[in-house]
Amino acid sequence: MKYSVICIGDELLIGQVTDTNSGWIARELVPYGWEAAYVKIIADDASDIADAIDEAMNKTDVVLMTGGLGPTKDDITKATLCDYFDGELVYDEVTAQNVLEVVRKRGIKLNEYTRLQAMVPSTCRVIQNQVGTASIMWFERDGKVLVSMPGVPHETCTMMQREVIPQLLNHFNDGMHVEHRTLVVSGIIESALAMKLDDFESQLPEYLHLAYLPKEGIIRLRLDGHHGDAALLKTEMDAAVAQLHQLLGSLIIADGDKPLAAILGDALRERQLTMASAESCTGGNIAHEITRIAGSSEYFTGSVTCYDTKVKINQLKVPQEVVDKHTVVSRPVVEQMVQGVCDLLGCDCSVATSGVAGPGGGTEETPVGTVWMAAKVKDRVVSQVKRFPGDRDRVINRATTEAMLLLLNLLKKE
């Protein structure tokens, strides 16, 4: 099944807001064998919206729209859709009650603009938005479907998962069974991984497909399968995954589509160990990633954001003479930091980072992007230095990933 995505909003075109909805939609629909024909970003303009719908309806069976459904005068998508599908705006009591309930839960007062969210096109089927006031509208014409959703990513993602995707799959049921498996790989670059798996891919049956999804030091391998025979598909998928394990061995750090922080958490939980972080250049980002995982309090004791050298010396007990001799961006300092944070917070394991995230602060010996990191598991300490290209955010994110991988790899030797 091919679909198209139309994202509406002047703020998207001028770069004030970044479109994340289209990427999220694609990631959610790929496992079901659905293919995005194209994504289009357009202004809050009635003629542009109508033209985009014409093009999308001609090329695809499903059109997914986001944006332009707010209560203010610049949000014109609802009225444009009403005209396009030959309807009129009518007051819907069920929608009104839903809006009232959403507003009540937020603890705010219902105003006249928000009350107007209960006006919906007479030619649509309303899917009540459980997390926002803008209704989701389902239109059908000539066997094709257009679903209009809010531009707020939280609302779109939540309601896509709860209602829109299940209803689309039911509406376009083609009798095909779909399976997908994900393996998380580290320690190899994408091109080298592709070369290693060249023969494997060439021998896959036509109903199986392998995708490479690289992100900041790790690669997710996603195997998708589509077949009318569910039992055959499962057997083939199991065999393919087993072969990938045989080919890649320890390069695979997890089965399943898990964030790195969750993989690290699983490794700590399995070994009944606790950890902390001592962060200079990453500024608490490691702690942030770890505590995003539900249940991380079982193994994460805390973090020291030691941005100032005095904190390294006073709280983490890094000797002044070590700093003077080697500078704060050095192997001896980060190795002292992992020991210091373990002593301070009473944990079994730790990671530490110290570097130059930029854009300034670099020297000839320690250019921007240089990050020293260390990991400690019980009495074992390892350290490494990396030089990351890119801006400040990229350096911080890469250092966060590499530090967690350093600890994960050390844990695997336990």
Side-chain angles (χ1 to χ4, degrees), residues 255-311:
D255 281 272
D257 193 0
K258 299 178 181 179
L260 178 57
I263 298 169
L264 177 58
D266 289 344
L268 289 161
R269 190 183 290 109
E270 288 167 9
R271 293 161 178 78
Q272 297 184 320
L273 298 174
T274 57
M275 73 159 288
S277 64
E279 304 185 55
S280 185
C281 64
T282 49
N285 199 48
I286 296 171
H288 167 67
E289 289 298 320
I290 290 171
T291 55
R292 288 179 65 189
I293 306 303
S296 55
S297 59
E298 295 177 32
Y299 48 82
F300 187 69
T301 59
S303 177
V304 175
T305 305
C306 47
Y307 209 69
D308 192 306
T309 302
K310 289 181 290 186
V311 179

Side-chain angles (χ1 to χ4, degrees), residues 108-122:
I108 58 178
K109 186 177 179 181
L110 181 68
N111 59 40
E112 190 55 37
Y113 275 167
T114 306
R115 197 186 309 275
L116 288 174
Q117 294 287 57
M119 300 295 291
V120 297
S122 57

Side-chain angles (χ1 to χ4, degrees), residues 98-170:
N98 183 73
V99 171
L100 187 63
E101 179 64 13
V102 169
V103 169
R104 184 191 66 78
K105 287 180 178 177
R106 291 180 177 176
I108 58 178
K109 186 177 179 181
L110 181 68
N111 59 40
E112 190 55 37
Y113 275 167
T114 306
R115 197 186 309 275
L116 288 174
Q117 294 287 57
M119 300 295 291
V120 297
S122 57
T123 46
C124 80
R125 175 169 64 82
V126 176
I127 299 175
Q128 299 301 338
N129 185 351
Q130 300 161 18
V131 291
T133 60
S135 299
I136 295 159
M137 297 171 289
W138 177 295
F139 297 88
E140 295 184 31
R141 176 180 288 177
D142 300 327
K144 300 189 176 186
V145 170
L146 181 148
V147 183
S148 177
M149 298 171 287
V152 181
H154 165 65
E155 296 181 27
T156 295
C157 297
T158 300
M159 294 310 299
M160 279 281 291
Q161 288 177 325
R162 290 183 185 178
E163 296 288 343
V164 176
I165 291 177
Q167 292 190 35
L168 286 170
L169 294 175
N170 183 64

Side-chain angles (χ1 to χ4, degrees), residues 329-405:
V329 183
S330 64
R331 181 194 301 272
V333 167
V334 291
E335 290 185 351
Q336 290 280 344
M337 288 166 64
V338 287
Q339 182 63 58
V341 77
C342 278
D343 293 342
L344 181 66
L345 299 182
C347 54
D348 308 300
C349 314
S350 60
V351 291
T353 59
S354 185
V356 186
T363 65
E364 186 175 343
E365 296 79 16
T366 311
V368 170
T370 303
V371 180
W372 270 100
M373 56 200 79
K376 179 178 183 295
V377 175
K378 297 181 181 178
D379 295 328
R380 299 184 62 187
V381 175
V382 295
S383 55
Q384 65 181 17
V385 64
K386 297 280 187 177
R387 289 185 172 86
F388 303 116
D391 61 14
R392 186 177 182 85
D393 285 344
R394 181 171 172 80
V395 171
I396 290 171
N397 289 329
R398 285 301 306 273
T400 297
T401 296
E402 292 296 338
M404 288 194 288
L405 284 170

Side-chain angles (χ1 to χ4, degrees), residues 176 201-210 224-227 233 236:
M176 295 294 287
E201 286 193 78
S202 65
Q203 294 169 16
L204 284 175
E206 61 180 8
Y207 48 85
L208 297 186
H209 172 70
L210 187 67
D224 299 314
H226 316 90
H227 200 280
L233 180 60
E236 292 284 357

